[in-house]
Amino acid sequence: MDFVKILKLSLLLYCLLFIINVNSWKKCSETFCKRVRNSPANYPRYYLDLDTVVVSSKGVDGYLLSDSQNLHLRLSMYSQTIVNLFVYNRPNMRRHTSEEVLLNSTNVSESWKILKVTSSSITVENGNISAVLFGKPFKIELSINGKLTSIINPQDRLVVETGSQGRAVAIDVSFPGAQRAFGIPQHAENLALRTTTIDNRDPYRLYNVDNGRYNLGSTEALYGSVPVLYAHGIKHSTGVFWSNTAQTWVDITIFPNQVSAFFMSESGFFDLFVYTGPTLAQVVQQYASSTGTAPLPQYFALGYHQSRNSYMTQPEVVEVVEQFDKNELSLDSVWLGINYTDNKKYFTWDPIRFPDPIGLQRQLNYTNRKLIAIIDPHFKRETGYFVHDNATRNKYYIKDYYGSNDYVGKGWPGDSSWIDFKNDNARNYYKSLFSIYYFRAKNVHIWNEMNEPTVFNNPNYENTFNGDLRHVAGIIHRDVHNAYGYEQSMSTFQGLIDRYGSEEDAVRPFVLSRSHYAGSQRFAAIWTGDNYASWDYLEFSIPMCLTSALAGISFCGADVGGFAGIPDDELYQRWYQAGAWLPFFRGNSAADAPRREPYLYSEGVKSRVRAALNERYAHLPYWYTLFWEHTRNGDPVIRPITYQYPDEEDALDVDNQILVGNSILVIPVTQKRTSIVSAYLPGSESEIWYDVNRHIIYHGLGLTPIYVNLDLIPVLYRGGSIIPRKDKPRPSTAATKYDNYTLYVCLDINDEAAGSLYVDDYETYRYKLRKEYLYLGFQYKNNTLTSYKIDEDANYNDAAQIEKIIVLNPSAPAISIRLNGADQKKDETKVTYGEDGTLSVSNLLLNLQKPFTIEFL
Ligand SMILES: *[C@@H]1O[C@H](CO)[C@@H](O)[C@H](O)[C@H]1NC(C)=O
Ligand SMILES: *[C@@H]1O[C@H](CO)[C@@H](O)[C@H](O)[C@H]1NC(C)=O
Ligand SMILES: *[C@@H]1O[C@H](CO)[C@@H](O)[C@H](O)[C@H]1NC(C)=O
Ligand SMILES: *[C@@H]1O[C@H](CO)[C@@H](O)[C@H](O)[C@H]1NC(C)=O
Ligand SMILES: *[C@@H]1O[C@H](CO)[C@@H](O)[C@H](O)[C@H]1NC(C)=O
Ligand SMILES: *[C@@H]1O[C@H](CO)[C@@H](O)[C@H](O)[C@H]1NC(C)=O
Ligand SMILES: *[C@@H]1O[C@H](CO)[C@@H](O)[C@H](O)[C@H]1NC(C)=O
Ligand SMILES: CC(=O)N[C@H]1CO[C@H](CO)[C@@H](O)[C@@H]1O
């Protein structure tokens, strides 16, 4: 080996070490968790002084006393269903981050009433919720409609440190009657969380770190933290949100008929919300009412995204688009990693490799494609770089421990500093950078990465910030660590609107963020981070996104094909087939992975990927409607089966299937050489599951073998649903805009079905500002299909028409139809039967604005 080769090799090795896990992730025993996990040992006991308890319009107030300190307690209630326990030791403590995470739309319910006072407890009631506050030992029992569903501090393990040991807070909560625990993403874990209190296991850790090629089936921390936990069972469900942005560990214990959790945070506030349900769906909706729902995305964001780390030049980007078109593969965007920038300076373009960004965007726009460019929160320390100059001059960077000097660490550009999003001026400055003037980027949406934040070569701090760094106003980083990425994506989202001046002139932003916290759904989609090209990463992507969806963040996907490594052809195809059924659908690969855009593959592979893309695009009217409905009621876009069928004991652990809305059940194939899958079909004998691609009717009889080949994964429509589709294969979402709709009517055992459809202009805020949209309901009953407006006062006159109706399992034969009371002539519509018994009516051209009825005669 010559010297240059050795140099190159050692450089490569150095880079690998530099970027990928230098450090092993900290165990509980290496952090504050070690001492707190032992509570109550070595901690003072608190008791509630019942004489201090007062009930006022604000809630129930009282004092918790111990040998060493007194704490104030307030129990309040929002929207009749959410109970909040706030414990604090200083009256004017700021709840800094939770203030912006929690929506102000939830109303305080004022009507606590004292029901009963004894020498050991006080019982208060508010609507159908009652709380028994016990003095000594202190605990609170919460009941809904007289049924005990949660106990706060059942083991007397409350911790509120104020002294020299630290500033940790901790609480245990138990849930009588619950059978499973879900939530607290992000972990590479099954939907149902495991007991962590046996076998020397570690608690689930919530601490945003850049954990590439993470361990699967693990409690290790990943990129995001959403401290909401659902205790679920076939009888009722309860949720708790531990509103704390510091490093947090959660011990889970699953008993046969009870779930217990112990939340431990390194610092921050004791601020606990209990969502009383009583169903899982209600709990999830209640959580959505306090941290928000995702805004309606642009239609394109639901299409297929092609990324690679990174496309290096302008012609390369154009080439990718051309190849997709040439090979008839649908595509909506091309993604750029940091290499598009001028020497790793965000908000600039490399003058040689991307000499004409505006021209490139225009060229992409011409074929209805978008560019998505990365903007990370670290900025190159280079004098003369306008962002760095301004950030330095105006003190926009995060500071060191002393609060005086800008903190300097390693990012992609080498020495970097980080924007302090806690500083309003810094945040506003960052937002302003998206202006078309600074960042010549109009047809561009944004990818935020490295925002855990990642600091390279900082192994003592797990390659992120030291908790001692200072934000504006003396805020200690440790207290707000898990919300750093949240704040970047919030600022990015607002910056992308501001570049147009106002919502009136804006198109809806699309932001993807790697780091996330509770409430991130209001600004960004997420993905499962730097995964790997192997079957088990494909398998875990399903429960990971289902968990995130329950935790409020529906817009989730995994890098199709795996970020690092090389998928073989079979895995590659299966990943496209599965990825087409997660909300965010993007192929992405690492810098050192060989190119793998679908057009590079053999005809056979390509045609299966094409079919997966076509299936995705055909169902976009349904996906878009689900995202719309999510904005209204907080229902996740994808759901585990137990969400819709909570009383089925056997469904509690099913997390390898995806319910898309409540009407489509998808069974991804995640094992190699699979010829048969064992699907769990819910709903009992009376529920029909219709294999739409192969015209086979199943019933909801639980575990059911379904044969598969390489071409397809099972996609089942629930009997009773009406699914709107646009079946014509097209190069992009925009190209489908005026394509005709087909309604797939899948009857239930009573020959009835219902569904909905949301339509607007796909990209602007006119739906919100001027009610320019259609939200329609469809109902099939008594051999008659009717449409009606769900939102009477909304109008949109540019919608495509319904050309075709397909009834999948008609009972009685129909030979003609009557439309809006008038018999149709033969040449106007065609009524035909397929060999498989489906009934189709084509040539209809129904205007969506006008309600219609179609009788099948
Ligand atoms: C809620 O209100 C507080 C105080 O007015 C404000 O700082 C915060 O941004 C609001 N939160 C949201 C999500 O609007
Ligand atoms: C809160 O109360 C106001 C006024 O009573 C009402 O208009 C609003 O709908 C309530 N919001 C929620 C989330 O219940
Ligand atoms: C409890 O009361 C709230 C508000 O009145 C209601 O929405 C909820 O359905 C009730 N829960 C039960 C189990 O009755
Ligand atoms: C930032 O600083 C540069 C000089 O480096 C200046 O030209 C530019 O106008 C400044 N922009 C803002 C928004 O402060
Ligand atoms: C794309 O092109 C259309 C039609 O020319 C134009 O109206 C639109 O503003 C362009 N969009 C962008 C983001 O450049
Ligand atoms: C819609 O359907 C009608 C009738 O079948 C057909 O003539 C028309 O070309 C279709 N429109 C599109 C955009 O495919
Ligand atoms: C069902 O439809 C038939 C004819 O279309 C009508 O005579 C009958 O009244 C309908 N029944 C109901 C329950 O609506
Ligand atoms: C050639 C080159 O500089 N490629 C880099 C593009 O950016 C990624 C980081 O996102 C690096 O890993 C590549 O080495």
Side-chain angles (χ1 to χ4, degrees):
M1 235 189 269
D2 61 33
F3 177 72
V4 176
K5 268 196 190 147
I6 293 173
L7 190 72
K8 273 191 183 161
L9 194 70
S10 46
L11 256 176
L12 183 74
L13 276 174
Y14 176 71
C15 284
L16 283 175
L17 289 176
F18 196 54
I19 292 160
I20 303 168
N21 291 346
V22 215
N23 36 352
S24 60
W25 307 103
K26 284 195 175 136
K27 297 279 180 199
C28 166
S29 59
E30 296 166 277
T31 71
F32 76 96
C33 175
K34 181 181 182 172
R35 62 174 191 273
V36 177
R37 204 183 192 192
N38 286 328
S39 171
N42 306 321
Y43 282 103
R45 275 309 75 70
Y46 291 93
Y47 69 94
L48 175 64
D49 183 351
L50 296 179
D51 291 338
T52 64
V53 173
V54 287
V55 175
S56 72
S57 63
K58 293 191 173 115
V60 181
D61 287 86
Y63 279 92
L64 289 170
L65 310 179
S66 78
D67 295 344
S68 52
Q69 67 168 335
N70 299 343
L71 300 170
H72 192 129
L73 160 157
R74 171 172 293 165
L75 190 71
S76 41
M77 178 128 165
Y78 299 92
S79 303
Q80 303 297 326
T81 54
I82 305 170
V83 177
N84 174 234
L85 179 66
F86 188 50
V87 173
Y88 55 101
N89 55 4
R90 278 174 284 140
N92 54 357
M93 245 167 111
R94 280 185 61 204
R95 292 154 110 172
H96 29 240
T97 297
S98 54
E99 259 169 25
E100 67 197 21
V101 167
L102 293 167
L103 298 178
N104 296 325
S105 61
T106 36
N107 289 333
V108 176
S109 317
E110 295 182 357
S111 52
W112 285 106
K113 285 198 301 273
I114 296 183
L115 216 58
K116 196 167 125 195
V117 180
T118 72
S119 59
S120 60
S121 71
I122 294 179
T123 304
V124 292
E125 185 189 59
N126 199 329
N128 46 21
I129 308 293
S130 65
V132 190
L133 294 86
F134 289 88
K136 200 172 190 173
F138 164 62
K139 67 174 173 178
I140 299 177
E141 293 183 347
L142 289 172
S143 300
I144 171 163
N145 293 326
K147 185 168 179 177
L148 178 65
T149 54
S150 58
I151 307 171
I152 301 171
N153 206 34
Q155 307 285 329
D156 200 12
R157 299 180 73 188
L158 168 67
V159 173
V160 178
E161 290 179 346
T162 47
S164 51
Q165 334 117 285
R167 299 204 301 114
V169 287
I171 189 70
D172 64 325
V173 188
S174 67
F175 306 92
Q179 297 161 281
R180 296 291 184 281
F182 301 153
I184 51 169
Q186 190 180 33
H187 299 100
E189 180 57 299
N190 298 325
L191 176 69
L193 303 174
R194 289 171 298 161
T195 291
T196 57
T197 46
I198 52 168
D199 301 341
N200 281 321
R201 288 182 191 162
D202 254 10
Y204 287 96
R205 188 182 191 204
L206 294 169
Y207 189 56
N208 294 5
V209 287
D210 180 359
N211 184 354
R213 202 173 170 178
Y214 39 84
N215 290 314
L216 298 172
S218 165
T219 62
E220 265 174 28
L222 294 184
Y223 310 91
S225 296
V226 186
V228 66
L229 179 79
Y230 300 107
H232 174 58
I234 58 171
K235 299 222 175 70
H236 62 256
S237 302
T238 305
V240 286
F241 174 49
W242 175 246
S243 179
N244 187 302
T245 52
Q247 174 179 191
T248 296
W249 297 78
V250 188
D251 258 326
I252 299 287
T253 313
I254 313 289
F255 298 101
N257 203 27
Q258 173 170 312
V259 166
S260 294
F262 186 45
F263 290 87
M264 300 164 267
S265 290
E266 186 173 17
S267 62
F269 302 97
F270 184 117
D271 197 2
L272 182 78
F273 292 80
V274 181
Y275 304 97
T276 55
T279 67
L280 180 60
Q282 284 170 308
V283 173
V284 168
Q285 289 162 358
Q286 287 156 10
Y287 171 72
S289 77
S290 56
T291 65
T293 55
L296 186 67
Q298 279 199 56
Y299 205 70
F300 94 84
L302 303 179
Y304 175 70
H305 302 271
Q306 183 62 50
S307 181
R308 169 168 178 80
N309 197 4
S310 176
Y311 295 116
M312 295 300 294
T313 65
Q314 209 167 306
E316 203 176 21
V317 171
V318 174
E319 155 94 11
V320 169
V321 172
E322 282 173 358
Q323 287 292 343
F324 267 83
D325 281 343
K326 208 157 119 193
N327 289 277
E328 298 183 325
L329 297 157
S330 305
L331 173 74
D332 264 84
S333 74
V334 182
W335 292 53
L336 298 176
I338 192 171
N339 314 74
Y340 77 88
T341 59
D342 180 8
N343 280 301
K344 304 192 164 50
K345 288 174 282 192
Y346 301 109
F347 299 104
T348 69
W349 299 84
D350 184 297
I352 313 277
R353 288 183 285 110
F354 287 86
D356 181 14
I358 305 257
L360 174 64
Q361 292 163 49
R362 202 179 300 125
Q363 205 172 347
L364 290 185
N365 187 31
Y366 185 68
T367 60
N368 293 318
R369 271 46 175 255
K370 321 278 182 211
L371 208 52
I372 317 266
I374 210 162
I375 297 284
D376 293 345
H378 57 246
F379 288 87
K380 187 174 190 173
R381 295 187 62 81
E382 181 182 287
T383 308
Y385 169 32
F386 71 106
V387 179
H388 177 63
D389 287 352
N390 288 328
T392 307
R393 188 166 54 238
N394 298 310
K395 304 191 168 26
Y396 293 155
Y397 285 140
I398 286 175
K399 301 289 183 291
D400 65 9
Y401 169 76
Y402 301 100
S404 43
N405 297 315
D406 292 340
Y407 170 71
V408 180
K410 300 281 183 210
W412 286 124
D415 278 353
S416 305
S417 290
W418 278 258
I419 292 284
D420 180 7
F421 296 101
K422 286 262 162 239
N423 176 336
D424 287 343
N425 295 330
R427 188 186 286 202
N428 288 334
Y429 176 65
Y430 172 85
K431 287 196 274 189
S432 76
L433 293 169
F434 292 94
S435 80
I436 319 267
Y437 171 75
Y438 289 113
F439 188 29
R440 287 159 291 152
K442 190 177 172 204
N443 189 21
V444 173
H445 295 260
I446 299 297
W447 177 14
N448 290 148
E449 217 192 51
M450 298 293 170
N451 52 353
E452 290 71 25
T454 302
V455 180
F456 293 139
N457 209 11
N458 202 22
N460 291 341
Y461 301 103
E462 300 178 277
N463 278 359
T464 185
F465 284 173
N466 169 353
D468 281 334
L469 300 189
R470 290 293 190 272
H471 295 261
V472 72
I475 296 173
I476 301 166
H477 179 70
R478 178 178 299 110
D479 297 353
V480 295
H481 174 85
N482 286 345
Y484 186 73
Y486 165 93
E487 298 194 335
Q488 188 195 13
S489 53
M490 171 163 59
S491 308
T492 303
F493 182 86
Q494 289 163 354
L496 290 182
I497 293 176
D498 292 352
R499 67 181 167 174
Y500 294 97
S502 70
E503 281 191 354
E504 188 71 40
D505 301 310
V507 293
R508 297 167 229 159
F510 173 75
V511 179
L512 180 76
S513 178
R514 192 168 71 187
S515 168
H516 52 276
Y517 180 71
S520 281
Q521 65 270 14
R522 304 208 302 273
F523 316 108
I526 62 161
W527 84 111
T528 61
D530 292 352
N531 60 356
Y532 190 78
S534 70
W535 288 92
D536 41 3
Y537 278 87
L538 167 58
E539 186 183 340
F540 270 89
S541 68
I542 312 295
M544 286 177 79
C545 282
L546 287 173
T547 298
S548 292
L550 291 181
I553 309 179
S554 277
F555 210 168
C556 171
D559 281 351
V560 172
F563 176 66
I566 306 175
D568 65 23
D569 284 4
E570 187 188 355
L571 174 61
Y572 185 79
Q573 297 164 82
R574 289 300 193 204
W575 213 317
Y576 271 92
Q577 291 168 342
W581 291 103
L582 287 179
F584 174 59
F585 186 23
R586 179 183 74 159
N588 185 27
S589 57
D592 58 355
R595 291 284 291 255
R596 59 161 110 103
E597 293 76 9
Y599 52 79
L600 298 171
Y601 285 75
S602 70
E603 218 29 72
V605 176
K606 217 165 26 184
S607 69
R608 288 186 199 98
V609 171
R610 186 182 297 123
L613 295 171
N614 289 346
E615 184 148 72
R616 169 69 171 209
Y617 279 67
H619 287 89
L620 286 180
Y622 178 69
W623 281 102
Y624 199 46
T625 303
L626 289 172
F627 270 88
W628 163 256
E629 289 172 349
H630 165 82
T631 67
R632 297 205 142 188
N633 58 24
D635 264 331
V637 170
I638 55 167
R639 306 158 194 183
I641 289 182
T642 191
Y643 190 86
Q644 295 297 145
Y645 301 87
D647 54 0
E648 294 190 27
E649 186 108 35
D650 292 340
L652 285 173
D653 293 312
V654 179
D655 62 3
N656 56 354
Q657 305 179 188
I658 309 164
L659 261 176
V660 181
N662 64 10
S663 298
I664 304 184
L665 179 59
V666 179
I667 299 120
V669 171
T670 59
Q671 316 264 306
K672 69 175 155 197
R673 289 194 283 279
T674 297
S675 55
I676 190 164
V677 293
S678 179
Y680 181 89
L681 305 185
S684 81
E685 174 76 46
S686 62
E687 193 87 293
I688 290 174
W689 291 100
Y690 193 92
D691 185 329
V692 64
N693 294 310
R694 290 180 293 190
H695 308 288
I696 304 170
I697 291 179
Y698 298 94
H699 291 265
L701 291 173
L703 285 183
T704 307
I706 299 181
Y707 289 91
V708 297
N709 58 29
L710 211 45
D711 295 334
L712 289 174
I713 58 171
V715 174
L716 312 179
Y717 287 179
R718 182 179 50 79
S721 55
I722 298 179
I723 314 273
R725 287 173 40 172
K726 289 193 174 191
D727 283 335
K728 187 165 184 163
R730 290 286 194 180
S732 69
T733 52
T736 68
K737 187 162 178 184
Y738 298 107
D739 283 352
N740 298 318
Y741 287 97
T742 301
L743 289 188
Y744 284 73
V745 179
C746 189
L747 301 179
D748 64 13
I749 55 161
N750 302 315
D751 288 329
E752 292 181 0
S756 54
L757 173 63
Y758 172 80
V759 190
D760 65 11
D761 66 15
Y762 285 3
E763 55 186 13
T764 73
Y765 282 102
R766 285 196 275 271
Y767 76 98
K768 195 164 94 178
L769 302 171
R770 291 192 224 129
K771 296 214 132 205
E772 288 182 19
Y773 65 88
L774 293 174
Y775 183 34
L776 306 177
F778 302 113
Q779 194 170 49
Y780 186 101
K781 210 174 177 173
N782 191 22
N783 294 319
T784 303
L785 177 68
T786 53
S787 83
Y788 58 96
K789 274 190 174 179
I790 298 174
D791 287 3
E792 298 272 1
D793 54 345
N795 271 301
Y796 179 63
N797 56 24
D798 207 19
Q801 298 172 306
I802 297 176
E803 196 260 336
K804 200 170 183 179
I805 289 163
I806 295 182
V807 184
L808 289 171
N809 47 341
S811 53
I815 42 171
S816 65
I817 62 159
R818 189 181 291 146
L819 178 59
N820 297 328
D823 288 334
Q824 291 293 292
K825 295 200 196 75
K826 269 220 179 75
D827 55 343
E828 284 173 357
T829 57
K830 267 206 315 241
V831 180
T832 54
Y833 274 89
E835 276 170 35
D836 50 27
T838 58
L839 163 62
S840 66
V841 183
S842 50
N843 221 13
L844 273 166
L845 298 182
L846 301 170
N847 181 341
L848 287 181
Q849 287 249 67
K850 301 199 184 97
F852 61 81
T853 62
I854 299 176
E855 292 164 74
F856 293 80
L857 307 168

